[in-house]
Coordinates of all heavy atoms in Angstrom, one line a residue:
K1 N -14.8 -8.2 13.4 CA -14.5 -9.2 12.3 C -13.5 -8.7 11.3 O -12.6 -9.4 10.9 CB -15.8 -9.7 11.7 CG -16.7 -10.5 12.4 CD -18.0 -10.9 11.8 CE -18.9 -11.7 12.7 NZ -20.2 -12.0 12.0
M2 N -13.6 -7.5 11.0 CA -12.6 -6.8 10.0 C -11.2 -6.8 10.6 O -10.2 -7.0 9.9 CB -13.1 -5.5 9.6 CG -14.2 -5.5 8.6 SD -14.6 -4.0 7.9 CE -15.6 -3.3 9.1
S3 N -11.1 -6.6 11.9 CA -9.9 -6.5 12.6 C -9.2 -8.0 12.5 O -7.9 -8.0 12.3 CB -10.1 -6.2 14.1 OG -8.9 -6.1 14.7
Q4 N -10.0 -9.0 12.6 CA -9.4 -10.3 12.5 C -8.8 -10.6 11.1 O -7.7 -11.1 10.9 CB -10.4 -11.4 12.9 CG -10.9 -11.4 14.3 CD -12.1 -12.2 14.6 OE1 -12.4 -13.1 13.7 NE2 -12.9 -11.8 15.6
A5 N -9.6 -10.1 10.1 CA -9.2 -10.3 8.7 C -7.9 -9.4 8.4 O -7.0 -9.8 7.7 CB -10.3 -9.9 7.7
A6 N -7.9 -8.2 9.0 CA -6.8 -7.3 8.8 C -5.5 -7.9 9.4 O -4.4 -7.7 8.8 CB -7.1 -5.9 9.4
A7 N -5.6 -8.6 10.5 CA -4.4 -9.3 11.1 C -3.7 -10.2 10.1 O -2.5 -10.3 10.0 CB -4.8 -10.0 12.4
H8 N -4.5 -10.9 9.4 CA -4.0 -11.8 8.3 C -3.3 -11.0 7.2 O -2.2 -11.2 6.8 CB -5.1 -12.7 7.7 CG -4.7 -13.4 6.5 ND1 -3.8 -14.5 6.4 CD2 -5.0 -13.0 5.1 CE1 -3.7 -14.8 5.1 NE2 -4.3 -14.0 4.3
F9 N -4.0 -10.0 6.8 CA -3.5 -9.2 5.6 C -2.3 -8.3 5.9 O -1.5 -7.9 5.1 CB -4.6 -8.4 4.9 CG -5.4 -9.3 4.0 CD1 -6.7 -9.7 4.4 CD2 -4.9 -9.8 2.9 CE1 -7.4 -10.6 3.7 CE2 -5.7 -10.6 2.0 CZ -6.9 -11.0 2.5
R10 N -2.1 -8.0 7.2 CA -0.8 -7.4 7.6 C 0.4 -8.2 7.2 O 1.4 -7.7 6.8 CB -0.8 -7.0 9.1 CG -1.5 -5.7 9.4 CD -1.1 -5.2 10.8 NE -1.8 -6.0 11.9 CZ -3.1 -5.8 12.2 NH1 -3.7 -4.8 11.7 NH2 -3.6 -6.5 13.1
K11 N 0.3 -9.5 7.5 CA 1.4 -10.4 7.2 C 1.6 -10.4 5.6 O 2.7 -10.5 5.1 CB 1.1 -11.8 7.7 CG 1.1 -11.9 9.2 CD 0.6 -13.2 9.7 CE 0.3 -13.3 11.2 NZ -0.4 -14.5 11.6
V12 N 0.5 -10.5 4.9 CA 0.6 -10.5 3.4 C 1.3 -9.3 3.0 O 2.2 -9.2 2.1 CB -0.9 -10.6 2.8 CG1 -0.7 -10.5 1.3 CG2 -1.5 -12.0 3.2
A13 N 0.9 -8.1 3.5 CA 1.4 -6.7 3.1 C 2.9 -6.7 3.3 O 3.7 -6.2 2.6 CB 0.7 -5.6 3.8
Q14 N 3.3 -7.3 4.5 CA 4.7 -7.3 4.9 C 5.6 -8.1 3.8 O 6.6 -7.7 3.4 CB 4.9 -7.8 6.3 CG 6.3 -7.7 6.8 CD 6.8 -6.3 6.9 OE1 6.1 -5.4 7.2 NE2 8.1 -6.1 6.5
R15 N 5.0 -9.2 3.5 CA 5.7 -10.1 2.5 C 5.8 -9.4 1.2 O 6.9 -9.4 0.6 CB 5.0 -11.4 2.3 CG 5.0 -12.5 3.3 CD 4.8 -13.9 2.8 NE 3.5 -14.0 2.1 CZ 2.4 -14.3 2.8 NH1 2.4 -14.4 4.1 NH2 1.3 -14.4 2.1
L16 N 4.8 -8.7 0.7 CA 4.9 -7.9 -0.5 C 5.8 -6.9 -0.5 O 6.5 -6.6 -1.4 CB 3.4 -7.4 -0.9 CG 2.4 -8.4 -1.3 CD1 1.0 -7.8 -1.2 CD2 2.6 -9.0 -2.5
K17 N 5.9 -6.1 0.7 CA 7.0 -5.1 0.8 C 8.4 -5.7 0.8 O 9.3 -5.1 0.1 CB 6.7 -4.3 2.2 CG 5.5 -3.5 2.2 CD 5.2 -2.8 3.5 CE 3.9 -2.0 3.7 NZ 3.5 -1.8 5.0
E18 N 8.5 -6.8 1.4 CA 9.9 -7.3 1.5 C 10.3 -7.9 0.1 O 11.5 -7.9 -0.3 CB 9.9 -8.5 2.5 CG 9.9 -8.0 3.9 CD 9.6 -9.2 4.9 OE1 9.5 -10.3 4.5 OE2 9.6 -8.9 6.1
A19 N 9.3 -8.3 -0.7 CA 9.6 -8.8 -2.1 C 9.7 -7.7 -3.0 O 10.1 -7.8 -4.2 CB 8.5 -9.7 -2.5
G20 N 9.4 -6.4 -2.6 CA 9.6 -5.3 -3.5 C 8.4 -5.0 -4.4 O 8.4 -4.2 -5.3
S21 N 7.3 -5.8 -4.1 CA 6.1 -5.6 -4.9 C 5.3 -4.4 -4.5 O 4.5 -3.8 -5.3 CB 5.1 -6.9 -4.8 OG 5.9 -8.0 -5.2
L22 N 5.4 -4.0 -3.3 CA 4.7 -2.8 -2.9 C 5.8 -1.7 -2.8 O 6.6 -1.7 -1.9 CB 4.0 -2.9 -1.5 CG 2.7 -3.6 -1.5 CD1 2.2 -3.7 0.0 CD2 1.7 -2.7 -2.2
D23 N 5.9 -0.9 -3.8 CA 6.9 0.2 -3.8 C 6.5 1.3 -2.9 O 5.3 1.8 -3.0 CB 7.0 0.7 -5.3 CG 8.2 1.6 -5.5 OD1 8.3 2.7 -4.9 OD2 9.2 1.2 -6.3
P24 N 7.4 1.9 -2.1 CA 7.0 3.1 -1.3 C 6.5 4.2 -2.0 O 5.6 4.9 -1.4 CB 8.4 3.4 -0.6 CG 9.2 2.2 -0.7 CD 8.8 1.5 -1.9
K25 N 6.8 4.4 -3.2 CA 6.3 5.6 -4.0 C 4.8 5.5 -4.2 O 4.2 6.6 -4.3 CB 7.0 5.6 -5.4 CG 8.3 6.2 -5.4 CD 8.8 6.4 -6.9 CE 10.2 7.0 -7.0 NZ 11.3 6.0 -6.7
V26 N 4.3 4.3 -4.2 CA 2.7 4.2 -4.4 C 2.0 4.0 -3.1 O 0.8 3.9 -3.1 CB 2.4 3.1 -5.5 CG1 3.0 3.5 -6.8 CG2 2.8 1.8 -5.0
L27 N 2.7 3.9 -2.0 CA 2.0 3.7 -0.7 C 1.7 5.0 -0.1 O 0.7 5.0 0.7 CB 2.9 2.9 0.2 CG 3.1 1.4 -0.1 CD1 4.2 0.8 0.8 CD2 1.8 0.7 -0.1
N28 N 2.4 6.0 -0.3 CA 2.2 7.3 0.4 C 1.3 8.3 -0.4 O 1.1 8.1 -1.6 CB 3.6 8.0 0.6 CG 4.5 7.1 1.4 OD1 4.0 6.4 2.4 ND2 5.8 7.0 1.1
V29 N 0.8 9.3 0.3 CA 0.1 10.3 -0.3 C 0.9 11.2 -1.2 O 2.1 11.5 -0.8 CB -0.6 11.3 0.8 CG1 -1.1 12.5 0.2 CG2 -1.7 10.5 1.4
D30 N 0.5 11.5 -2.4 CA 1.3 12.3 -3.3 C 0.3 13.4 -3.9 O -0.4 13.0 -4.8 CB 2.0 11.5 -4.4 CG 2.9 12.4 -5.3 OD1 2.9 13.6 -5.1 OD2 3.7 11.8 -6.1
T31 N 0.3 14.5 -3.4 CA -0.6 15.6 -3.9 C -0.2 16.0 -5.3 O -1.1 16.7 -6.0 CB -0.7 16.8 -3.0 OG1 0.7 17.2 -2.7 CG2 -1.3 16.4 -1.6
N32 N 0.9 15.7 -5.9 CA 1.3 16.0 -7.2 C 0.3 15.3 -8.2 O 0.2 15.8 -9.3 CB 2.7 15.4 -7.5 CG 3.8 16.4 -7.0 OD1 3.6 17.7 -7.2 ND2 4.8 15.9 -6.4
T33 N -0.4 14.3 -7.7 CA -1.4 13.6 -8.6 C -2.5 14.6 -9.0 O -3.0 14.5 -10.1 CB -2.0 12.5 -7.8 OG1 -1.0 11.6 -7.4 CG2 -2.9 11.6 -8.7
L34 N -2.8 15.6 -8.1 CA -3.7 16.6 -8.4 C -3.3 17.4 -9.7 O -4.1 18.0 -10.4 CB -4.1 17.5 -7.3 CG -4.8 16.8 -6.1 CD1 -4.9 17.6 -4.9 CD2 -6.1 16.3 -6.5
L35 N -2.0 17.5 -9.7 CA -1.4 18.4 -10.9 C -1.2 17.4 -12.1 O -1.5 17.9 -13.3 CB 0.0 18.8 -10.5 CG 0.0 19.8 -9.3 CD1 1.4 20.2 -8.9 CD2 -0.9 21.1 -9.5
Y36 N -0.7 16.2 -11.9 CA -0.4 15.3 -13.1 C -1.5 14.4 -13.5 O -1.4 13.9 -14.6 CB 0.9 14.5 -12.8 CG 2.1 15.4 -12.3 CD1 2.8 15.1 -11.1 CD2 2.5 16.5 -13.0 CE1 3.8 15.8 -10.7 CE2 3.5 17.3 -12.5 CZ 4.2 16.9 -11.5 OH 5.3 17.7 -10.9
Q37 N -2.4 14.2 -12.7 CA -3.7 13.4 -13.0 C -3.3 11.9 -13.3 O -3.8 11.4 -14.3 CB -4.5 14.1 -14.0 CG -4.8 15.5 -13.7 CD -5.7 16.1 -14.7 OE1 -6.1 15.6 -15.7 NE2 -6.1 17.4 -14.5
V38 N -2.4 11.4 -12.6 CA -1.9 10.0 -13.0 C -2.6 9.0 -12.0 O -2.3 9.0 -10.8 CB -0.3 10.0 -12.8 CG1 0.2 8.6 -13.2 CG2 0.3 11.0 -13.8
P39 N -3.3 7.9 -12.5 CA -3.8 6.9 -11.7 C -2.7 6.0 -11.2 O -1.5 5.8 -11.8 CB -4.8 6.2 -12.6 CG -4.3 6.5 -13.9 CD -3.7 7.8 -13.9

């Protein structure tokens, strides 16, 4: 059931990326957060 819901939200995520609302800087792992402690 979660797989079916995820199929819908993949399209939503793609639209957000294309619109620039999902910035690549916040999508990836950044271990610097352990140093800077930034949420």
Side-chain angles (χ1 to χ4, degrees):
K1 288 180 180 175
M2 281 188 279
S3 178
Q4 292 168 26
H8 166 78
F9 281 104
R10 268 195 291 277
K11 296 172 188 170
V12 174
Q14 188 57 41
R15 282 205 306 274
L16 291 171
K17 287 172 188 171
E18 288 168 1
S21 301
L22 277 179
D23 192 294
K25 282 190 178 75
V26 298
L27 288 174
N28 301 322
V29 166
D30 186 354
T31 52
N32 280 317
T33 304
L34 293 170
L35 302 175
Y36 305 132
Q37 305 183 0
V38 179

